[in-house]
Amino acid sequence: AIMVVGMLGTSITPNAEALKGQGVGVSQYGSATNICGLVLCSDYPGGKTTYEENWTLSFRNTLSNASQQGESETMSVSVSAHNVDKEFPAQLDVFIHKFELDKISAEEALDGIKEIHNAYVNARITSDIVAGVGDKLNLYNNGTFDAATAVEAIHLTAEPQNVNPEYQGALDEVIHKFELDKISAEEALVGIEEVHDGFVGLYITSDLIEAVGDKIALIDSGKLSGADAVEAIHLSAEPQNVNPEFIGALDEYLHKFELNKLPAEETMAGIIDVHDGLTALYVSSDLVETVGVQINIYNSGNDSVEHVLHEIHEAIEEVEVEMTALQFADGKMPVKELPPNTVDMPAGAGVPGCEENGMCYYPTNLTVDAGTTVTWINSDGSIPHTVTAGWPDSESIGSDYPGGNGFDSDFMSGGATFEHTFEVPGEYDYYCQLHPWMIGAITVA
């Protein structure tokens, strides 16, 4: 039998006869209404209304179970409509984890899961998670699932926040082998479909799983194949990477245009190639669509190429600001430990404002001895940067730096490094040609 208790968490089930006329707040047990369970209604969390929704239904369920199951052994299940989507999964985990540790069989785990689920159902407490677990139990009862499969399906259903991470992790194992040339694209696609079918076979889904399913359907129809198909699935499984990769590819052209290294028309042609490459993978985002609109305006001849490039650049900067905000906890930029004589370009360096915290180049000022080699690392995602001797408004920069001790990294893509050995003592200012608010200095003693 299951003894269902309310929000107070007590293991005491009050005797119905003893409560008659004592103010339980249930009409069939008396008319008084100032007592809610074992406390005054004024002291009960949520008051009388919450009490009637939680404790009363649970108490009635206890009486029903007791009358049907007699004096059999009792398992205490605390049932409450308060935080049901936290408490219910936590109660299921007791049995699921015992099964995962081989302390009980799958069948025994399911018996415990059923007891808990029935307690909530009988107390008329439900949620999407409770209903979802009920659906999986029905699939077990009708023979669709074996016991072990049912436990795994219930585990994922009860913890939907873990579905996408587990799905992404399983896909990544396959995709990374392909990226390392350990398996072919065809073998990768077979592995990807096996992972996908495994989750679908558990009747588990999410927006991400559906997006990958759409790509698999395109593969089956012949619209995607080979390495393109693997890349399309990779981006669909990690949508947070779509904009950074798109921006990184676009910036290769836009920054060259800004530095007068590429004509406007060639820049636009490169942007169109990048956009077409991504849309050919059936991958999109708000930024991809915005750039597509600007490309259509350019193709129509209704605006100058220079203004279209400006609009695309503005759209990119807006997205970069949003991405940077998401990377910081409590408004603070992340700082990592660096080897000696190393300067980092941290996440967010490409967005104005990093200079206020001295986090465009970190550390902003570095002192070294003559003969020391300094290493710069670009940790700013897919955003390219430069390390260029001089000052934003200087006439002589890079290799033309006064004194003949200049340096210039040229474009540094995300993850790239640049080294320079300082032989001559002095003060060396430097900045990023692409983001002139990024300024640093090296003092050589």
Side-chain angles (χ1 to χ4, degrees):
I2 299 175
M3 180 174 67
V4 185
V5 297
M7 290 180 64
L8 297 179
T10 177
S11 60
I12 301 173
T13 303
N15 180 277
E17 293 299 322
L19 290 175
K20 286 184 179 179
Q22 301 301 311
V24 174
V26 184
S27 60
Q28 70 188 76
Y29 294 143
S31 59
T33 58
N34 62 319
I35 301 297
C36 290
L38 303 179
V39 299
L40 292 172
C41 288
S42 60
D43 293 331
Y44 189 90
K48 177 184 174 183
T49 300
T50 302
Y51 166 77
E52 291 179 342
E53 292 175 353
N54 296 324
W55 180 284
T56 304
L57 290 174
S58 302
F59 180 64
R60 287 175 177 169
N61 183 55
T62 302
L63 296 179
S64 174
N65 284 344
S67 64
Q68 294 174 13
Q69 300 181 27
E71 299 299 324
S72 60
E73 184 179 353
T74 297
M75 179 182 75
S76 178
V77 180
S78 178
V79 177
S80 169
H82 180 64
N83 286 334
V84 59
D85 284 341
K86 290 184 179 180
E87 293 182 7
F88 178 65
Q91 291 166 326
L92 298 184
D93 271 348
V94 173
F95 295 96
I96 293 171
H97 289 165
K98 285 183 179 179
F99 165 67
E100 292 174 337
L101 295 172
D102 294 325
K103 292 185 176 180
I104 60 175
S105 67
E107 289 77 9
E108 289 172 322
L110 287 173
D111 286 342
I113 290 168
K114 287 178 183 178
E115 291 270 5
I116 294 168
H117 182 262
N118 287 340
Y120 278 81
V121 172
N122 292 336
R124 301 177 189 175
I125 297 173
T126 190
S127 70
D128 289 343
I129 291 179
V130 174
V133 169
D135 291 340
K136 301 304 184 294
L137 287 171
N138 288 337
L139 290 168
Y140 170 67
N141 292 333
N142 68 25
T144 301
F145 287 158
D146 60 32
T149 301
V151 173
E152 177 60 18
I154 288 169
H155 194 185
L156 288 170
T157 301
E159 298 179 356
Q161 72 276 10
N162 292 335
V163 170
N164 282 349
E166 291 198 21
Y167 183 66
Q168 288 173 320
L171 290 181
D172 275 348
E173 287 189 22
V174 178
I175 293 171
H176 289 166
K177 287 181 181 179
F178 165 70
E179 293 174 336
L180 296 172
D181 294 324
K182 293 184 176 180
I183 59 176
S184 66
E186 288 70 26
E187 289 172 321
L189 291 174
V190 170
I192 287 167
E193 290 202 31
E194 288 179 354
V195 170
H196 182 75
D197 290 346
F199 277 77
V200 172
L202 294 175
Y203 291 78
I204 299 294
T205 192
S206 69
D207 290 345
L208 189 151
I209 293 173
E210 291 176 1
V212 172
D214 291 341
K215 299 301 181 295
I216 291 174
L218 290 169
I219 294 169
D220 294 339
S221 70
K223 293 181 179 179
L224 281 174
S225 63
D228 285 346
V230 177
E231 179 62 14
I233 288 172
H234 195 184
L235 289 171
S236 296
E238 298 181 355
Q240 71 276 11
N241 292 335
V242 172
N243 281 343
E245 292 199 18
F246 186 50
I247 290 172
L250 294 180
D251 277 348
E252 292 291 329
Y253 295 98
L254 286 171
H255 289 322
K256 288 179 180 178
F257 169 68
E258 292 169 355
L259 296 173
N260 296 319
K261 293 184 177 182
L262 198 65
E265 294 292 344
E266 289 184 30
T267 302
M268 197 67 213
I271 288 174
I272 291 172
D273 285 344
V274 170
H275 182 265
D276 288 349
L278 199 58
T279 55
L281 299 178
Y282 297 87
V283 172
S284 190
S285 70
D286 289 344
L287 179 62
V288 174
E289 292 177 2
T290 297
V291 172
V293 170
Q294 292 300 321
I295 289 173
N296 289 336
I297 292 173
Y298 167 73
N299 288 333
S300 71
N302 291 329
D303 203 350
S304 68
V305 62
E306 290 80 9
H307 189 256
V308 168
L309 290 174
H310 173 76
E311 290 296 309
I312 291 173
H313 189 231
E314 289 288 313
I316 289 173
E317 286 193 340
E318 287 183 12
V319 172
E320 287 177 339
V321 170
E322 293 173 1
M323 291 192 306
T324 300
L326 291 173
Q327 291 174 333
F328 302 150
D330 301 324
K332 298 179 180 179
M333 291 187 176
V335 176
K336 64 181 180 182
E337 293 185 11
L338 297 171
N341 307 317
T342 301
V343 178
D344 189 37
M345 288 166 269
V351 179
C354 61
E355 69 277 13
E356 297 177 6
N357 301 310
M359 294 294 292
C360 298
Y361 293 105
Y362 178 78
T364 303
N365 300 289
L366 179 68
T367 299
V368 300
D369 294 328
T372 299
T373 298
V374 176
T375 301
W376 285 264
I377 304 171
N378 182 3
S379 301
D380 194 13
S382 62
I383 310 302
H385 293 296
T386 75
V387 176
T388 306
W391 198 257
D393 56 359
S394 301
E395 292 184 2
S396 300
I397 62 172
S399 58
D400 296 328
Y401 190 72
N405 299 306
F407 49 92
D408 187 6
S409 66
D410 207 349
F411 293 117
M412 293 175 61
S413 57
T417 61
F418 169 68
E419 294 182 350
H420 180 73
T421 302
F422 291 88
E423 301 287 359
V424 181
E427 298 283 340
Y428 295 84
D429 296 318
Y430 64 91
Y431 73 106
C432 175
Q433 294 187 69
L434 307 177
H435 310 99
W437 56 86
M438 296 175 59
I439 297 172
I442 304 293
T443 299
V444 182

mmCIF file of all heavy atoms in Angstrom, residues 19-27 29-45 47-49 51-52:
data_model
loop_
_atom_site.group_PDB
_atom_site.id
_atom_site.type_symbol
_atom_site.label_atom_id
_atom_site.label_comp_id
_atom_site.label_asym_id
_atom_site.label_seq_id
_atom_site.Cartn_x
_atom_site.Cartn_y
_atom_site.Cartn_z
ATOM 1 N N LEU A 19 -10.401 12.568 13.453
ATOM 2 C CA LEU A 19 -10.458 13.904 12.882
ATOM 3 C C LEU A 19 -11.882 14.437 12.760
ATOM 4 O O LEU A 19 -12.073 15.628 12.530
ATOM 5 C CB LEU A 19 -9.828 13.893 11.484
ATOM 6 C CG LEU A 19 -8.309 13.704 11.441
ATOM 7 C CD1 LEU A 19 -7.854 13.596 9.999
ATOM 8 C CD2 LEU A 19 -7.603 14.860 12.135
ATOM 9 N N LYS A 20 -12.854 13.580 12.902
ATOM 10 C CA LYS A 20 -14.234 14.039 12.732
ATOM 11 C C LYS A 20 -14.553 15.164 13.712
ATOM 12 O O LYS A 20 -14.368 15.028 14.902
ATOM 13 C CB LYS A 20 -15.209 12.879 12.951
ATOM 14 C CG LYS A 20 -15.224 11.890 11.784
ATOM 15 C CD LYS A 20 -16.270 10.810 11.998
ATOM 16 C CE LYS A 20 -16.307 9.840 10.825
ATOM 17 N NZ LYS A 20 -17.303 8.775 11.012
ATOM 18 N N GLY A 21 -15.033 16.287 13.177
ATOM 19 C CA GLY A 21 -15.429 17.398 14.007
ATOM 20 C C GLY A 21 -14.281 18.204 14.581
ATOM 21 O O GLY A 21 -14.497 19.088 15.389
ATOM 22 N N GLN A 22 -13.041 17.871 14.205
ATOM 23 C CA GLN A 22 -11.887 18.561 14.766
ATOM 24 C C GLN A 22 -11.354 19.664 13.855
ATOM 25 O O GLN A 22 -10.265 20.172 14.095
ATOM 26 C CB GLN A 22 -10.755 17.546 15.041
ATOM 27 C CG GLN A 22 -11.161 16.436 15.996
ATOM 28 C CD GLN A 22 -11.604 16.982 17.342
ATOM 29 O OE1 GLN A 22 -10.910 17.813 17.920
ATOM 30 N NE2 GLN A 22 -12.757 16.536 17.823
ATOM 31 N N GLY A 23 -12.079 19.996 12.797
ATOM 32 C CA GLY A 23 -11.662 21.135 11.983
ATOM 33 C C GLY A 23 -10.630 20.808 10.935
ATOM 34 O O GLY A 23 -9.703 21.574 10.708
ATOM 35 N N VAL A 24 -10.744 19.652 10.306
ATOM 36 C CA VAL A 24 -9.779 19.297 9.277
ATOM 37 C C VAL A 24 -9.957 20.163 8.049
ATOM 38 O O VAL A 24 -9.037 20.364 7.279
ATOM 39 C CB VAL A 24 -9.924 17.802 8.911
ATOM 40 C CG1 VAL A 24 -9.049 17.437 7.749
ATOM 41 C CG2 VAL A 24 -9.595 16.951 10.124
ATOM 42 N N GLY A 25 -11.127 20.716 7.861
ATOM 43 C CA GLY A 25 -11.368 21.541 6.684
ATOM 44 C C GLY A 25 -11.966 20.756 5.547
ATOM 45 O O GLY A 25 -12.027 21.231 4.430
ATOM 46 N N VAL A 26 -12.392 19.507 5.802
ATOM 47 C CA VAL A 26 -13.029 18.686 4.781
ATOM 48 C C VAL A 26 -14.455 18.452 5.237
ATOM 49 O O VAL A 26 -14.698 17.924 6.317
ATOM 50 C CB VAL A 26 -12.306 17.333 4.620
ATOM 51 C CG1 VAL A 26 -12.924 16.546 3.500
ATOM 52 C CG2 VAL A 26 -10.825 17.564 4.372
ATOM 53 N N SER A 27 -15.427 18.808 4.428
ATOM 54 C CA SER A 27 -16.820 18.820 4.877
ATOM 55 C C SER A 27 -17.277 17.480 5.409
ATOM 56 O O SER A 27 -18.015 17.420 6.381
ATOM 57 C CB SER A 27 -17.720 19.279 3.725
ATOM 58 O OG SER A 27 -17.601 18.407 2.620
ATOM 59 N N TYR A 29 -15.693 15.432 7.083
ATOM 60 C CA TYR A 29 -15.115 15.114 8.384
ATOM 61 C C TYR A 29 -15.456 16.156 9.431
ATOM 62 O O TYR A 29 -15.000 16.103 10.551
ATOM 63 C CB TYR A 29 -13.584 15.019 8.263
ATOM 64 C CG TYR A 29 -13.127 13.871 7.421
ATOM 65 C CD1 TYR A 29 -12.032 13.983 6.592
ATOM 66 C CD2 TYR A 29 -13.827 12.668 7.453
ATOM 67 C CE1 TYR A 29 -11.631 12.913 5.813
ATOM 68 C CE2 TYR A 29 -13.441 11.604 6.679
ATOM 69 C CZ TYR A 29 -12.339 11.720 5.857
ATOM 70 O OH TYR A 29 -11.946 10.677 5.081
ATOM 71 N N GLY A 30 -16.199 17.143 9.101
ATOM 72 C CA GLY A 30 -16.557 18.141 10.090
ATOM 73 C C GLY A 30 -16.753 19.487 9.423
ATOM 74 O O GLY A 30 -16.364 19.696 8.301
ATOM 75 N N SER A 31 -17.342 20.413 10.134
ATOM 76 C CA SER A 31 -17.669 21.695 9.537
ATOM 77 C C SER A 31 -16.637 22.769 9.803
ATOM 78 O O SER A 31 -16.618 23.801 9.154
ATOM 79 C CB SER A 31 -19.030 22.180 10.071
ATOM 80 O OG SER A 31 -18.961 22.285 11.497
ATOM 81 N N ALA A 32 -15.771 22.564 10.805
ATOM 82 C CA ALA A 32 -14.785 23.587 11.123
ATOM 83 C C ALA A 32 -13.772 23.692 9.984
ATOM 84 O O ALA A 32 -13.453 22.709 9.351
ATOM 85 C CB ALA A 32 -14.071 23.249 12.427
ATOM 86 N N THR A 33 -13.229 24.903 9.738
ATOM 87 C CA THR A 33 -12.341 25.091 8.586
ATOM 88 C C THR A 33 -11.059 25.821 8.948
ATOM 89 O O THR A 33 -10.341 26.287 8.080
ATOM 90 C CB THR A 33 -13.052 25.897 7.487
ATOM 91 O OG1 THR A 33 -13.466 27.158 8.026
ATOM 92 C CG2 THR A 33 -14.243 25.153 6.943
ATOM 93 N N ASN A 34 -10.755 25.937 10.255
ATOM 94 C CA ASN A 34 -9.566 26.703 10.630
ATOM 95 C C ASN A 34 -8.305 25.853 10.727
ATOM 96 O O ASN A 34 -7.220 26.359 10.953
ATOM 97 C CB ASN A 34 -9.794 27.424 11.956
ATOM 98 C CG ASN A 34 -10.055 26.427 13.086
ATOM 99 O OD1 ASN A 34 -10.761 25.452 12.897
ATOM 100 N ND2 ASN A 34 -9.481 26.691 14.254
ATOM 101 N N ILE A 35 -8.444 24.525 10.585
ATOM 102 C CA ILE A 35 -7.301 23.630 10.674
ATOM 103 C C ILE A 35 -7.025 23.025 9.299
ATOM 104 O O ILE A 35 -7.930 22.538 8.638
ATOM 105 C CB ILE A 35 -7.560 22.479 11.680
ATOM 106 C CG1 ILE A 35 -7.843 23.051 13.068
ATOM 107 C CG2 ILE A 35 -6.358 21.541 11.730
ATOM 108 C CD1 ILE A 35 -6.686 23.817 13.664
ATOM 109 N N CYS A 36 -5.767 23.080 8.870
ATOM 110 C CA CYS A 36 -5.344 22.474 7.597
ATOM 111 C C CYS A 36 -4.325 21.398 7.913
ATOM 112 O O CYS A 36 -3.141 21.689 8.140
ATOM 113 C CB CYS A 36 -4.742 23.530 6.663
ATOM 114 S SG CYS A 36 -5.963 24.706 6.020
ATOM 115 N N GLY A 37 -4.792 20.148 7.973
ATOM 116 C CA GLY A 37 -3.899 19.053 8.320
ATOM 117 C C GLY A 37 -3.552 19.103 9.783
ATOM 118 O O GLY A 37 -4.405 18.925 10.649
ATOM 119 N N LEU A 38 -2.282 19.382 10.082
ATOM 120 C CA LEU A 38 -1.830 19.427 11.469
ATOM 121 C C LEU A 38 -1.478 20.831 11.917
ATOM 122 O O LEU A 38 -0.880 21.026 12.981
ATOM 123 C CB LEU A 38 -0.597 18.517 11.642
ATOM 124 C CG LEU A 38 -0.808 17.049 11.246
ATOM 125 C CD1 LEU A 38 0.476 16.269 11.439
ATOM 126 C CD2 LEU A 38 -1.943 16.434 12.049
ATOM 127 N N VAL A 39 -1.812 21.851 11.128
ATOM 128 C CA VAL A 39 -1.512 23.241 11.480
ATOM 129 C C VAL A 39 -2.723 24.099 11.175
ATOM 130 O O VAL A 39 -3.670 23.684 10.507
ATOM 131 C CB VAL A 39 -0.289 23.779 10.688
ATOM 132 C CG1 VAL A 39 0.952 22.967 10.994
ATOM 133 C CG2 VAL A 39 -0.580 23.776 9.194
ATOM 134 N N LEU A 40 -2.691 25.340 11.684
ATOM 135 C CA LEU A 40 -3.722 26.298 11.329
ATOM 136 C C LEU A 40 -3.610 26.624 9.844
ATOM 137 O O LEU A 40 -2.519 26.685 9.282
ATOM 138 C CB LEU A 40 -3.553 27.580 12.144
ATOM 139 C CG LEU A 40 -3.814 27.480 13.652
ATOM 140 C CD1 LEU A 40 -3.419 28.779 14.330
ATOM 141 C CD2 LEU A 40 -5.275 27.152 13.919
ATOM 142 N N CYS A 41 -4.757 26.845 9.215
ATOM 143 C CA CYS A 41 -4.736 27.172 7.785
ATOM 144 C C CYS A 41 -3.911 28.425 7.518
ATOM 145 O O CYS A 41 -3.293 28.576 6.461
ATOM 146 C CB CYS A 41 -6.161 27.365 7.257
ATOM 147 S SG CYS A 41 -7.076 25.808 7.133
ATOM 148 N N SER A 42 -3.879 29.348 8.479
ATOM 149 C CA SER A 42 -3.103 30.573 8.301
ATOM 150 C C SER A 42 -1.610 30.299 8.262
ATOM 151 O O SER A 42 -0.826 31.088 7.736
ATOM 152 C CB SER A 42 -3.415 31.566 9.425
ATOM 153 O OG SER A 42 -3.094 30.989 10.692
ATOM 154 N N ASP A 43 -1.186 29.130 8.840
ATOM 155 C CA ASP A 43 0.228 28.771 8.853
ATOM 156 C C ASP A 43 0.607 27.818 7.727
ATOM 157 O O ASP A 43 1.782 27.542 7.506
ATOM 158 C CB ASP A 43 0.602 28.116 10.194
ATOM 159 C CG ASP A 43 0.498 29.100 11.344
ATOM 160 O OD1 ASP A 43 0.696 30.307 11.116
ATOM 161 O OD2 ASP A 43 0.204 28.636 12.470
ATOM 162 N N TYR A 44 -0.391 27.291 7.017
ATOM 163 C CA TYR A 44 -0.123 26.317 5.965
ATOM 164 C C TYR A 44 0.342 27.051 4.702
ATOM 165 O O TYR A 44 -0.288 28.014 4.278
ATOM 166 C CB TYR A 44 -1.387 25.510 5.655
ATOM 167 C CG TYR A 44 -1.136 24.333 4.742
ATOM 168 C CD1 TYR A 44 -0.810 23.094 5.271
ATOM 169 C CD2 TYR A 44 -1.231 24.463 3.367
ATOM 170 C CE1 TYR A 44 -0.577 22.005 4.447
ATOM 171 C CE2 TYR A 44 -0.993 23.380 2.538
ATOM 172 C CZ TYR A 44 -0.655 22.152 3.089
ATOM 173 O OH TYR A 44 -0.423 21.079 2.271
ATOM 174 N N PRO A 45 1.458 26.647 4.079
ATOM 175 C CA PRO A 45 1.950 27.332 2.861
ATOM 176 C C PRO A 45 0.883 27.378 1.767
ATOM 177 O O PRO A 45 0.423 26.348 1.301
ATOM 178 C CB PRO A 45 3.138 26.464 2.430
ATOM 179 C CG PRO A 45 3.585 25.790 3.676
ATOM 180 C CD PRO A 45 2.334 25.535 4.475
ATOM 181 N N GLY A 47 -2.122 28.540 2.251
ATOM 182 C CA GLY A 47 -3.433 28.651 2.864
ATOM 183 C C GLY A 47 -4.346 27.479 2.592
ATOM 184 O O GLY A 47 -3.945 26.415 2.114
ATOM 185 N N LYS A 48 -5.623 27.694 2.872
ATOM 186 C CA LYS A 48 -6.606 26.618 2.794
ATOM 187 C C LYS A 48 -6.753 26.062 1.388
ATOM 188 O O LYS A 48 -6.869 24.850 1.190
ATOM 189 C CB LYS A 48 -7.961 27.136 3.297
ATOM 190 C CG LYS A 48 -9.090 26.108 3.199
ATOM 191 C CD LYS A 48 -10.411 26.713 3.620
ATOM 192 C CE LYS A 48 -11.555 25.726 3.381
ATOM 193 N NZ LYS A 48 -12.857 26.319 3.729
ATOM 194 N N THR A 49 -6.736 26.957 0.380
ATOM 195 C CA THR A 49 -6.931 26.495 -1.001
ATOM 196 C C THR A 49 -5.857 25.495 -1.398
ATOM 197 O O THR A 49 -6.142 24.432 -1.955
ATOM 198 C CB THR A 49 -6.914 27.691 -1.968
ATOM 199 O OG1 THR A 49 -7.952 28.590 -1.616
ATOM 200 C CG2 THR A 49 -7.101 27.212 -3.402
ATOM 201 N N TYR A 51 -4.018 23.753 0.629
ATOM 202 C CA TYR A 51 -4.185 22.551 1.450
ATOM 203 C C TYR A 51 -5.191 21.597 0.807
ATOM 204 O O TYR A 51 -4.967 20.400 0.699
ATOM 205 C CB TYR A 51 -4.664 22.926 2.846
ATOM 206 C CG TYR A 51 -5.181 21.743 3.628
ATOM 207 C CD1 TYR A 51 -4.300 20.835 4.201
ATOM 208 C CD2 TYR A 51 -6.553 21.509 3.752
ATOM 209 C CE1 TYR A 51 -4.766 19.724 4.890
ATOM 210 C CE2 TYR A 51 -7.023 20.403 4.445
ATOM 211 C CZ TYR A 51 -6.123 19.513 5.005
ATOM 212 O OH TYR A 51 -6.575 18.411 5.675
ATOM 213 N N GLU A 52 -6.327 22.142 0.400
ATOM 214 C CA GLU A 52 -7.375 21.293 -0.175
ATOM 215 C C GLU A 52 -6.904 20.642 -1.468
ATOM 216 O O GLU A 52 -7.293 19.514 -1.777
ATOM 217 C CB GLU A 52 -8.633 22.121 -0.425
ATOM 218 C CG GLU A 52 -9.321 22.553 0.865
ATOM 219 C CD GLU A 52 -10.562 23.393 0.607
ATOM 220 O OE1 GLU A 52 -10.680 23.908 -0.523
ATOM 221 O OE2 GLU A 52 -11.376 23.522 1.520
#
